[in-house]
Amino acid sequence: GLPLDIVLQDARIPVQIAAMDVYFGVTRPHADHCDAVVDIPAGAPLDKARRRDALIAERAGIQPGQTVALIGVVNPLVEAIRQRGGTCLPCDLQLKRTQWGDAVETDMDKVLDRADMAISTAMTLGNGTFDRLLERVRERRIPLAVYAQTGSAVVAQFVGRGVTTLIAEPFPFTQFSAGATPIYCYSSGTKEASHED
């Protein structure tokens, strides 16, 4: 119930991100600004996650032989990258190994140094690493696809400003519903990409 300007002054980054997400979600709704809406069909959570992560890998445009820095490890997304012929470089501040036993790097710079492209979750917004991620992909001139649940409307403001592709999944998320879930897809060729860097 607090005014937006007060909430934005909260010292906690996740609170600031949540407030901005609500604001942009109302003033720039995904349905009006994305280039495609894809429904993930109804089903069990794991089946829906696999379909969603296959969509992420497809929208990111992974080509066989490419090295993909995955910032924020989601196991079905590791699988989707490999199914498209990419080599996954997993990076996460919490997870130590993927479900297949691959070591997970904690230093984002190390995987970005080796990558042809990057895919990141929007957890980078909440933990304060998003700015560094944008800086590095801009420096290296590599594409960045972001899969965003929380903060998806915030990330949409960066499409064409470092973010090449956005796969936005605002609440309710795929894992919370057995029904169909809409996914909003942006690319740097959409309306949101007209901003200058």
Side-chain angles (χ1 to χ4, degrees), residues 42-190:
L46 184 56
D47 293 335
K48 291 180 70 181
R50 285 187 172 130
R51 288 188 181 102
R52 177 201 64 209
D53 292 352
L55 174 66
I56 294 167
E58 177 188 339
R59 295 291 299 199
I62 298 167
Q63 299 299 313
Q66 283 190 315
T67 302
V68 182
L70 178 59
I71 315 299
V73 175
V74 180
N75 281 308
L77 189 47
V78 174
E79 183 178 28
I81 291 167
R82 289 176 174 160
Q83 285 175 344
R84 290 188 66 87
T87 298
C88 183
L89 303 176
C91 178
D92 198 287
L93 293 176
Q94 304 293 327
L95 196 65
K96 301 300 180 195
R97 295 200 171 273
T98 69
Q99 75 179 64
W100 300 276
D102 309 286
V104 176
E105 177 59 61
T106 57
D107 185 339
M108 176 172 60
D109 288 307
K110 288 183 180 178
V111 296
L112 290 172
D113 283 343
R114 299 169 49 203
D116 299 315
M117 65 181 306
I119 298 177
S120 174
T121 69
M123 288 296 291
T124 52
L125 286 171
N127 68 21
T129 60
F130 186 70
D131 289 346
R132 178 61 178 163
L133 174 61
L134 281 181
E135 180 184 3
R136 289 306 316 283
V137 298
R138 288 169 175 163
E139 280 174 1
R140 295 215 48 233
R141 299 181 180 275
I142 60 174
L144 170 63
V146 178
Y147 162 56
Q149 289 184 330
T150 302
S152 62
V154 175
V155 179
Q157 309 316 303
F158 292 90
V159 175
R161 303 167 126 181
V163 174
T164 311
T165 302
L166 168 62
I167 300 89
E169 184 189 348
F171 191 84
F173 310 136
T174 49
Q175 66 264 39
F176 295 149
S177 169
T181 302
I183 304 287
Y184 301 91
C185 302
Y186 297 71
S187 71
S188 55
T190 64

Side-chain angles (χ1 to χ4, degrees), residues 16-40:
Q16 294 175 22
I17 296 298
M20 286 189 287
D21 197 41
V22 170
Y23 173 76
F24 286 123
V26 170
T27 61
R28 299 188 67 77
H30 290 307
D32 295 343
H33 293 90
C34 70
D35 63 274
V37 182
V38 178
D39 280 329
I40 301 299

